[in-house]
Amino acid sequence: MVCDIRDFSVFVSQNSSSRVKALLNQYYGALYNIIVQQNHGVINKLIGDSILAYWDSENIAEQGVQAVKAGLAIAQTAQQWQSQDNSTIAVKIGCAINTGAVFIGHVGNEALGEFTVIGSDVNLTSKIEHLNKFFHTAVTLSEKTFIHIQDQMSCRFLSNVKFSADTEPINLYEPVALLPKSGGFSVLPKAHDNNKNKQPYIDWPL
């Protein structure tokens, strides 16, 4: 999972460093609670306003559902912030969820190193996240995640996207609701429904 604050650079340019810090503290605290404490994920790193998280369960469907539940909760939290006077700032957060094989471990040496997650599917997740702004969505799933959670999640098809000339196009989906049998029912705000502008195929050079 990759999460990102919409138009964060604009916010930074228009606000004091203390206000930027307050926003990031609120943001990081909320996402830690949702991803780690509520949905058993692992936050690997903070990159400015972006968060990279992963799930390491042997059950791929289970980790997919947990990730999607986290994404839905993050979207709802951002909506709540926009209606609360005590919130630091009304923000929009985009999340992308993908499933694939990655390297998880330590890289570097004794002088400089970190525990990280590396792989083409990590890079793809970041590219998918950028499309939330294009689709006006809060959470976007790759097809590789969708196929594992489709019996537990109602999803809306977004588009078939080709990211580069040497890759095959992939289908992208927006999670709409957790089905009752999966232990709850959570619906994204209707503001994210942008069906009339969605296209069957997009050549997206990222």
Side-chain angles (χ1 to χ4, degrees):
M1 171 189 278
V2 172
C3 299
D4 181 81
I5 298 176
R6 295 272 76 83
D7 300 320
F8 180 69
S9 59
V10 175
F11 176 80
V12 171
S13 68
Q14 297 176 348
N15 290 273
S16 65
S17 58
S18 61
R19 190 160 172 77
V20 172
K21 178 183 176 181
L23 167 64
L24 290 176
N25 287 344
Q26 175 181 327
Y27 169 67
Y28 290 148
L31 268 63
Y32 176 84
N33 182 54
I34 292 170
I35 293 171
V36 178
Q37 297 186 325
Q38 297 178 15
N39 292 286
H40 315 294
V42 178
I43 293 178
N44 176 248
K45 57 171 60 72
L46 312 178
I47 311 170
D49 62 309
S50 296
I51 284 181
L52 173 62
Y54 66 92
W55 278 256
D56 195 20
S57 169
E58 294 182 359
N59 187 321
I60 297 178
E62 178 182 338
Q63 68 182 12
V65 170
Q66 289 174 338
V68 173
K69 287 173 66 177
L72 288 168
I74 290 168
Q76 292 172 342
T77 297
Q79 287 287 317
Q80 292 169 3
W81 286 348
Q82 294 182 39
S83 62
Q84 293 176 354
D85 292 336
N86 62 349
S87 175
T88 300
I89 188 67
V91 299
K92 292 183 179 180
I93 301 172
C95 298
I97 301 168
N98 185 28
T99 300
V102 298
F103 167 81
I104 302 176
H106 189 272
V107 296
N109 54 33
E110 294 182 357
L112 178 65
E114 67 172 350
F115 188 86
T116 190
V117 181
I118 299 173
S120 59
D121 278 299
V122 177
N123 298 335
L124 177 60
T125 309
S126 180
K127 292 177 181 179
I128 292 172
E129 195 286 315
H130 288 299
L131 290 181
N132 279 309
K133 193 170 185 177
F134 176 81
F135 289 125
H136 302 283
T137 51
V139 186
T140 300
L141 311 178
S142 72
E143 185 167 22
K144 289 192 289 187
T145 297
F146 170 76
I147 61 175
H148 292 293
I149 58 91
Q150 58 183 313
D151 62 335
Q152 301 183 62
M153 173 69 58
S154 174
C155 296
R156 181 182 297 114
F157 174 76
L158 292 173
S159 186
N160 184 260
V161 178
K162 186 177 179 64
F163 286 99
S164 62
D166 58 348
T167 61
E168 293 295 321
I170 63 172
N171 291 330
L172 298 180
Y173 299 84
E174 178 188 18
V176 178
L178 287 168
L179 300 177
K181 68 178 182 179
S182 64
F185 190 79
S186 183
V187 181
L188 281 173
K190 291 182 179 179
H192 296 299
D193 187 353
N194 193 41
N195 278 326
K196 63 181 180 180
N197 295 323
K198 288 164 188 175
Q199 304 174 42
Y201 176 83
I202 299 174
D203 191 356
W204 194 270
L206 289 177

